[in-house]
Amino acid sequence: MADFGISAGQAVAVVWDKSSPVEALKDVVDKLQVLTGDKGQVSVENMSQLLQSAHKESSFDVILSGVVPGSVTLHSAEVLAEMARILKPGGCLFLKEPVETAVDKDSKVKTASKLCSTLTLSGLVEVKELQRESLSPEEKQSIQEHLGCNSESLLSVQITGKKPNFEVGSSSQLKLSTTKKSPLVKPAVDPATAKLWTLSANDMEDESMDLIDSDELLDPEDLKKPDPASLRAASCGERKKRKACKNCCITVVSFPVFCRCGSSLCRILVGSEGE
């Protein structure tokens, strides 16, 4: 059995299910106790009871699931989320599970990519596949017995994932810079240019300045009053046919309407045809 990077003093959880051989489970636990030492802790948890366990958040440095030789454990999304909850920040999960090499919608067994996606959705990071190997005859028999699956496209895959270095719901104070910013330095202005574009009250009193009289801006023709006849539209009477001109506005009312030209020929009554 690989040591999974376990060192002395760590808290390790071993998750097993009904497919795990008892003797193989005991052997795994004994080896882990040697690795963790007297200050470490090795806990054994049945997968069917994991969701009802009283483990607090961030309880284990390492969780091993399905690694017992002969196990054919399938991990649901709820179980993986619970494993992520009880892992310490920065802790690792190692699991082993049979996977399908081809997509089969009717199969209970997931593909390797689907299993990695489920681990990521449970809150783990740095999810990666460590190893693939063919199933042993004992594992094939166990899959058929416990899972009712008799597919020939199954493999055993070992995957690991890591919990982020923070707990869900944790907070941290933002480090904002409190140093004073240097004041903005305005670019130097040429005195001659500034004087050219500056107008002060003293300049207004300067006798050398000529002010333009607004009355001189108008020509004599602009001051003449226009002839009213030149503003009137052409009379409808000047036309050969006695018909309302284009300046007439026909409105549905009960009284006569007169054209803007003022001609009596443009008088229109409601119901008339415009003559």
Side-chain angles (χ1 to χ4, degrees):
M1 185 194 74
D3 56 9
F4 299 105
I6 297 173
S7 58
Q10 287 187 324
V12 181
V14 180
V15 182
W16 61 281
D17 67 350
K18 59 183 180 180
S19 67
S20 304
V22 177
E23 294 298 327
L25 176 61
K26 291 181 180 179
D27 185 58
V28 169
V29 172
D30 292 340
K31 292 179 179 179
L32 291 175
Q33 288 176 341
V34 174
L35 293 174
T36 56
D38 297 336
K39 295 183 179 180
Q41 176 187 356
V42 179
S43 300
V44 181
E45 189 71 50
N46 190 318
M47 182 176 292
S48 61
Q49 301 297 324
L50 184 62
L51 297 177
Q52 287 78 34
S53 66
H55 295 298
K56 297 180 180 179
E57 295 181 352
S58 305
S59 299
F60 300 100
D61 299 289
V62 179
I63 296 178
L64 307 177
S65 181
V67 300
V68 177
S71 298
V72 286
T73 305
L74 297 182
H75 300 82
S76 64
E78 293 78 12
V79 169
L80 292 176
E82 177 64 15
M83 291 180 181
R85 185 188 72 83
I86 62 179
L87 265 177
K88 292 181 180 180
C92 292
L93 167 65
F94 295 90
L95 63 83
K96 187 177 180 182
E97 181 172 327
V99 296
E100 283 277 7
T101 56
V103 178
D104 186 357
K105 296 182 180 180
D106 298 328
S107 177
K108 299 179 181 178
V109 183
K110 297 184 284 289
T111 61
S113 60
K114 180 65 175 179
L115 181 57
C116 290
S117 299
T118 307
L119 280 167
T120 303
L121 292 175
S122 67
L124 300 182
V125 296
E126 300 181 20
V127 177
K128 57 184 177 181
E129 184 179 326
L130 297 178
Q131 183 180 0
R132 281 193 181 197
E133 57 186 7
S134 301
L135 295 173
S136 64
E138 292 79 8
E139 289 174 334
K140 290 181 179 180
Q141 183 179 356
S142 181
I143 290 175
Q144 186 174 3
E145 180 182 349
H146 296 95
L147 303 179
C149 182
N150 194 20
S151 175
E152 296 295 332
S153 59
L154 294 179
L155 291 176
S156 179
V157 64
Q158 186 174 316
I159 298 178
T160 182
K162 183 180 179 181
K163 186 172 182 176
N165 292 322
F166 55 84
E167 190 58 76
V168 176
S170 60
S171 61
S172 177
Q173 184 176 3
L174 296 177
K175 296 181 180 180
L176 302 177
S177 176
T178 57
T179 58
K180 295 183 179 179
K181 296 182 178 180
S182 58
L184 297 176
V185 179
K186 295 182 178 180
V189 181
D190 184 9
T193 305
K195 184 177 180 181
L196 179 64
W197 293 97
T198 302
L199 184 65
S200 64
N202 295 330
D203 295 329
M204 297 297 294
E205 297 175 358
D206 193 349
E207 296 179 356
S208 63
M209 295 188 64
D210 295 331
L211 299 179
I212 299 176
D213 188 359
S214 59
D215 294 334
E216 296 179 359
L217 298 176
L218 299 175
D219 296 332
E221 294 294 333
D222 297 330
L223 300 177
K224 290 183 179 180
K225 185 176 181 180
D227 184 7
S230 63
L231 302 178
R232 180 179 297 177
S235 175
C236 298
E238 298 176 1
R239 302 183 181 184
K240 296 180 180 180
K241 189 177 180 180
R242 294 170 57 85
K243 189 175 182 180
C245 68
K246 64 179 180 180
N247 295 322
C248 294
C249 299
I250 301 175
T251 308
V252 180
V253 292
S254 58
F255 52 85
V257 180
F258 295 91
C259 176
R260 288 195 297 266
C261 66
S263 173
S264 60
L265 297 176
C266 290
R267 180 179 302 178
I268 305 169
L269 295 177
V270 176
S272 68
E273 298 180 355
E275 293 186 355

